[in-house]
Amino acid sequence: MLKFCLMGWSVGVLCFAATTSVWGVQSSLVSVPPTTSDLGVLVENAESTSRKNMVASVHPLATQAGVDAFANGGNAIDAAIATALTLGVVDNFNSGIGGGCFILIRTAKGEVYAIDGREMAPSAATQDLFRDAKTRFSNPSQTGPLASGVPGALKAYAQAVAQHGRLDLRASLKKGMEAAEGGFQVTEAYAAKLRIAKKAMLQFPGAVNVFFRPDPKTGLIEPYRAGEILKQSDLAKTYRKISQEGTDWFYRGGFSELAGQWMEANGGIMTVNDFAKYKTVNRKPVRSEYRDFEIYGFPPPSSGGVHVAQVLNILEQFDLAEMYQSDRVGFYHVVAEAMKLAFADRAFWLGDPDYVDVPLGLIEKSYAKELAVKIKMDSVLTTDHNIPPNAATDFFERHTTHVAAADSEGNWVALTTTVNTTFGAKYVIPGTGVIMNNQMDDFVAFPGKPNAFGLIGGENNAVASGKRPLSSMSPTIVLRDGQPVLTVGAAGGPKIITEVLWAIINHLDLEMPIGEAIAAPRLHHQWAPKQLLLEATFDKKMAEQLTAKQHQIKRSRSMGICQGITFDTKTGIFTGAFDPRTTGSAAGE
Ligand code: GLY
């Protein structure tokens, strides 16, 4: 069955592990209740079912690229990469070849691979890069040339297809190239992102050339509006060049030369050599067990795999399904406290494992038991370690994107990809159409100062030459009895980790179908700031009961965007789901 669902309702207790060692490292068919979103669009179902294959993403054109890849003989890896490369055109405020990614692949042979395409800091980067920066940009870790790491997404995509796909990179680029050349209709969500980024983008003629046009009524230069057709001829040329000459054109040829020249002229430090030196890393996935399930997550420099595993280990000490029925407020309290404990560890321990030791003990069951007994049912734990007083903030912006894909041969993919915040560092390398990331902000750019996501961190995540910034991206694949049953991942900075946790808890513990598991209201705690974010849809009484347990509640309209696919081993049916909080589509044959 091929079906598209087009639109969503868019719009310490610091307990440090003692051990130190280096990381090597059922679904059913259900409708999500009809509802409306910040885009005012009614959606009745954010799920789709199929028997042969499935792909889910935030954009119908991108999902179609995956469907086409399957139709052309490709497998789930080909579908995921074609989808990602198309997202890099039609959803390029979230991701693109100027950014980075993590790809988790479970092959039909049963092997699990983690391809690290995270950005690398330029060679000239130092710990004090941002403190010492003499730049015209007021927030240099977020806007302009210093904000960018050397992009890794394209190299990781190419590697995934070459090693695990059946088609080639040329085939994966085709749909994106067509969408760039022929244009696509700007959605309200896309236009809203342009409005958010407008002021910063106006500083960069290369970005204005692509995303702005004279307003038909006033003649003023304004960003494209919803309903208009956006063509990106430079990006189409870039995709064609890569298609003809391979990724070397990007890393050792025309693109890197243009980027190097632009950096030099604009106070950047990234050079052609940095592009030439960029490498993906094959990492050992984080494997953990949760009740009857095997959980595969992405290892550092992602914090996702470690902390998804750590929180699940803590929660395993509680009968969540029973608590959900008999003590709903206790259930949410325990989940929030487990999240808080894990994020406290994240701030202290996590960083690029090629530079710092990340303790393996963080995902040990014995450590989780120690943490679980600290959770009090009637009040919150105090976690005062180094939280700056003004760290509190919430972010309505949504960033990053996730692609889920699976096929009946047993290939499963969880791919999360990003330029970091909306339209990355807000500039385009002129003549290429490529938006560059602002992933340097995921380092501790200014010690003690929260980053764009309100996160603070320690020395382990300090800037250094060639280092990869810590990430929250959490591509995850779940198996039962050796058979994959769930692939899931999300967008939304640190909320990625808690979104993935909610999808897992809701689906595995509470037995919600995946669409419902993703749509259900979420809460999020990231230790710093000291606040429990509750999605606006939580009822007032629940908020009051959590407040009575001393939680400092803040309501949030923005709880990230999650995609997932499940497989029912009894019926042989895949169910794909996109997040009804935004646009999206899940489709398969
Ligand atoms: N840039 C968001 C993340 O990687 O966590």
Side-chain angles (χ1 to χ4, degrees):
M1 174 161 73
L2 178 66
K3 180 170 150 200
F4 270 30
C5 305
L6 295 184
M7 301 294 282
W9 43 288
S10 179
V11 217
V13 175
L14 263 184
C15 304
F16 297 133
T19 49
T20 52
S21 73
V22 188
W23 289 91
V25 5
Q26 21 242 250
S27 76
S28 56
L29 315 181
V30 177
S31 288
V32 173
T35 182
T36 53
S37 73
D38 48 352
L39 280 188
V41 181
L42 191 75
V43 65
E44 294 197 356
N45 194 339
E47 284 185 347
S48 183
T49 56
S50 62
R51 285 193 176 269
K52 258 176 88 179
N53 50 53
M54 179 62 71
V55 56
S57 84
V58 294
H59 201 292
L61 279 176
T63 299
Q64 184 61 47
V67 170
D68 291 353
F70 282 130
N72 292 331
N75 62 15
I77 293 93
D78 298 301
I81 302 304
T83 301
L85 281 162
T86 307
L87 286 171
V89 174
V90 300
D91 189 65
N92 46 358
F93 51 86
N94 278 323
S95 72
I97 59 174
C101 69
F102 294 137
I103 312 174
L104 194 66
I105 295 172
R106 191 268 186 191
T107 65
K109 286 188 186 149
E111 290 146 346
V112 186
Y113 295 92
I115 303 174
D116 174 350
R118 186 71 165 163
E119 294 86 342
M120 292 170 75
S123 323
T126 59
Q127 180 155 355
D128 297 327
L129 175 68
F130 295 104
R131 198 197 62 189
D132 297 345
K134 290 184 183 56
T135 160
R136 66 190 164 97
F137 302 106
S138 55
N139 53 353
S141 67
Q142 292 176 24
T143 305
L146 293 179
S148 303
V150 186
L154 178 62
K155 210 160 217 179
Y157 297 165
Q159 181 183 331
V161 166
Q163 292 180 342
H164 307 291
R166 227 181 264 137
L167 306 176
D168 60 14
L169 189 64
R170 190 179 284 238
S172 312
L173 286 157
K174 189 168 175 282
K175 193 90 184 173
M177 194 156 61
E178 286 166 6
E181 190 127 64
F184 67 96
Q185 194 168 41
V186 172
T187 60
E188 179 44 39
Y190 197 107
K193 297 293 185 179
L194 280 172
R195 288 195 296 274
I196 290 169
K198 174 180 164 179
K199 194 165 162 230
M201 276 182 154
L202 278 169
Q203 302 171 91
F204 303 105
V208 174
N209 269 345
V210 177
F211 299 107
F212 290 58
R213 85 286 176 263
D215 186 280
K217 287 194 190 122
T218 63
L220 295 173
I221 299 296
E222 293 286 350
Y224 278 80
R225 292 225 173 97
E228 293 176 342
I229 302 297
L230 173 60
K231 294 185 181 178
Q232 301 177 77
S233 54
D234 285 345
L235 189 56
K237 268 192 267 168
T238 292
Y239 271 41
R240 185 165 298 111
K241 275 285 188 191
I242 298 166
S243 187
Q244 289 163 348
E245 298 179 26
T247 56
D248 268 0
W249 183 80
F250 190 87
Y251 288 100
R252 294 169 181 273
F255 181 83
S256 61
E257 282 157 23
L258 287 169
Q261 283 160 19
W262 187 87
M263 291 285 167
E264 208 173 327
N266 289 275
I269 58 170
M270 202 184 293
T271 65
V272 284
N273 267 344
D274 288 323
F275 277 90
K277 281 198 299 200
Y278 182 83
K279 56 178 194 305
T280 56
V281 185
N282 298 315
R283 307 229 179 243
K284 186 174 174 196
V286 175
R287 183 193 169 279
S288 61
E289 287 169 11
Y290 179 60
R291 307 196 199 275
D292 294 338
F293 300 90
E294 254 181 294
I295 314 278
Y296 282 94
F298 211 94
S302 173
S303 59
V306 172
H307 295 305
V308 165
Q310 185 186 10
V311 173
L312 291 176
N313 285 344
I314 298 172
L315 295 177
E316 208 174 32
Q317 307 305 312
F318 299 86
D319 185 346
L320 291 184
E322 199 280 323
M323 286 178 82
Y324 186 75
Q325 297 305 331
S326 65
D327 177 15
R328 191 74 55 100
V329 65
F331 164 84
Y332 285 121
H333 169 73
V334 162
V335 176
E337 292 291 273
M339 288 172 176
K340 185 169 74 183
L341 288 163
F343 270 93
D345 279 348
R346 182 190 189 279
F348 188 83
W349 285 112
L350 271 281
D352 181 344
D354 297 336
Y355 285 70
V356 297
D357 286 353
V358 180
L360 272 169
L362 289 170
I363 60 162
E364 277 175 13
K365 297 278 184 196
S366 56
Y367 179 50
K369 280 184 186 150
E370 275 174 42
L371 295 182
V373 294
K374 290 177 194 289
I375 296 176
K376 297 178 268 185
M377 287 313 294
D378 58 346
S379 62
V380 298
L381 293 166
T382 3
T383 56
D384 284 337
H385 177 79
N386 278 348
I387 301 181
N390 295 322
T393 181
D394 186 21
F395 304 93
F396 184 60
E397 274 193 85
R398 294 164 180 148
H399 336 88
T400 310
T401 195
H402 184 77
V403 177
D407 65 46
S408 55
E409 285 172 33
N411 298 295
W412 286 64
V413 183
L415 185 165
T416 313
T417 180
T418 187
V419 289
N420 197 22
T421 63
T422 298
F423 288 107
K426 312 293 189 287
Y427 68 93
V428 165
I429 301 296
T432 71
V434 175
I435 292 158
M436 291 287 281
N437 69 85
N438 59 352
Q439 224 71 245
M440 294 294 281
D441 192 60
D442 274 355
F443 282 118
V444 178
F446 301 96
K449 190 178 158 200
N451 76 357
F453 302 108
L455 291 166
I456 57 169
E459 222 174 304
N460 277 5
N461 190 30
V463 183
S465 170
K467 194 175 175 186
R468 293 165 200 247
L470 182 61
S471 172
S472 298
M473 295 192 287
S474 313
T476 305
I477 295 175
V478 179
L479 279 72
R480 183 177 208 166
D481 301 327
Q483 162 75 52
V485 291
L486 169 67
T487 172
V488 65
K495 290 174 191 156
I496 292 173
I497 296 173
T498 55
E499 289 170 67
V500 167
L501 281 163
W502 278 119
I504 291 174
I505 297 165
N506 288 342
H507 183 59
L508 303 188
D509 287 294
L510 307 184
E511 298 183 355
M512 292 180 191
I514 189 66
E516 207 178 312
I518 288 173
R522 299 195 270 255
L523 61 70
H524 169 83
H525 206 306
Q526 63 181 53
W527 175 64
K530 273 192 216 174
Q531 66 187 18
L532 177 60
L533 288 184
L534 272 198
E535 191 154 23
T537 39
F538 267 93
D539 70 21
K540 204 166 151 239
K541 200 161 158 235
M542 179 59 66
E544 283 165 6
Q545 287 172 321
L546 286 165
T547 304
K549 290 188 190 288
Q550 302 170 353
H551 287 285
Q552 294 178 31
I553 303 287
K554 183 159 183 213
R555 292 288 187 159
S556 178
R557 287 181 298 154
S558 171
M559 296 302 275
I561 301 298
C562 184
Q563 273 74 237
I565 297 172
T566 56
F567 182 69
D568 187 327
T569 49
K570 291 197 189 85
T571 61
I573 289 176
F574 289 109
T575 301
F578 64 91
D579 198 317
R581 293 165 181 82
T582 190
T583 58
S585 84
E589 211 187 313

